[in-house]
Amino acid sequence: MYRLPLICRETFLEFTSKQQLMNEIIVKAMAKSLKLEKNSFLDQFGKNPISLTRLKFCPPCPWLDCVLAAKPHGDASGTTYLLQDKEVEGLQVPKDDQWYRVPLTPDAIVFNCGDQLEIMTNGIFKSPIHRVVTNKKKERRTVALFFSPELTIKFESEFEFQILHIYHRSNHENIYYQYI
Ligand SMILES: O=C(O)CCC(=O)C(=O)O
Ligand SMILES: [Fe+2]
């Protein structure tokens, strides 16, 4: 906390703590939507979930065909909240071998399910692959906030009835270092 520049410290901390509340509401709603006890996923984040913010600045780039702002990936987090640039698009998702743009919605926050939540839900909620393309003329700024379970907490899928156990009991640290 003390390493945050003074000029943005207050705003940043307020944004993170409000977003943490929103995260709790969303993760509880996800559990309820699957007819599970509302805290089933939230509890698996542990008492001190990790929150990590990535402030991303991407300068204009003339080589659109060969330079990406982020290569195709799924987020290693539990959940991701993305504040997009107000004017410059870039985020894309694949479907049927094609990439589709995620449109800008002013001041909206894009929610993304991360790998950890995919594991907790045994793949019912998917951590979607996405990428970010560059823009020829304009710079682009985004703020991505990631919430993840404590590194050492053991978590597992909540579903006893599942036939297919895609994921084994694991913890964030194992999975994180296995896949990055
Ligand atoms: O900048 C963006 O629009 C998305 C960034 C992203 O996918 C990430 O930081 O994981
Ligand atoms: Fe991402």
Side-chain angles (χ1 to χ4, degrees):
M1 163 174 158
Y2 298 107
R3 291 205 202 123
L4 289 171
L6 258 180
I7 192 162
C8 64
R9 189 176 296 168
E10 209 175 311
T11 313
F12 184 84
L13 291 175
E14 191 186 346
F15 176 65
T16 312
S17 71
K18 287 201 169 140
Q19 204 57 54
Q20 186 153 358
L21 286 180
M22 189 191 269
N23 187 52
E24 288 177 15
I25 293 168
I26 288 180
V27 172
K28 280 182 188 173
M30 287 171 86
K32 278 175 80 178
S33 77
L34 298 175
K35 302 200 174 7
L36 293 168
E37 202 283 310
K38 67 177 189 313
N39 287 323
S40 8
F41 300 141
L42 196 58
D43 285 350
Q44 299 201 55
F45 276 69
K47 286 205 170 59
N48 297 302
I50 298 170
S51 69
L52 188 147
T53 306
R54 185 178 291 149
L55 306 173
K56 201 160 171 177
F57 170 75
C58 190
C61 173
W63 304 286
L64 298 189
D65 291 341
C66 54
V67 180
L68 288 170
K71 65 179 187 178
H73 66 281
D75 290 343
S77 58
T79 49
T80 304
Y81 298 88
L82 180 72
L83 194 56
Q84 298 210 76
D85 191 285
K86 281 192 190 321
E87 291 169 14
V88 186
E89 279 182 3
L91 185 60
Q92 296 187 336
V93 285
K95 188 171 186 295
D96 305 329
D97 295 331
Q98 247 191 294
W99 287 96
Y100 291 87
R101 38 183 277 278
V102 175
L104 296 181
T105 310
D107 297 322
I109 288 176
V110 177
F111 170 75
N112 219 10
C113 177
D115 297 347
Q116 315 297 321
L117 213 64
E118 174 168 334
I119 292 163
M120 288 178 204
T121 64
N122 200 40
I124 292 177
F125 285 107
K126 300 271 186 294
S127 165
I129 298 292
H130 52 283
R131 72 174 190 181
V132 185
V133 294
T134 44
N135 188 289
K136 224 178 205 156
K137 300 216 172 98
K138 294 182 179 165
E139 60 188 45
R140 180 176 179 272
R141 293 183 170 83
T142 54
V143 180
L145 180 49
F146 306 90
F147 289 106
S148 298
E150 286 173 37
L151 267 189
T152 50
I153 199 161
K154 289 258 186 287
F155 61 84
E156 57 191 331
S157 164
E158 282 292 322
F159 296 95
E160 284 162 22
F161 58 80
Q162 70 211 8
I163 301 161
L164 183 67
H165 275 267
I166 307 176
Y167 306 104
H168 298 289
R169 186 180 170 89
S170 193
N171 68 37
H172 182 185
E173 196 171 19
N174 291 346
I175 291 162
Y176 194 76
Y177 291 112
Q178 197 175 334
Y179 289 103
I180 53 171

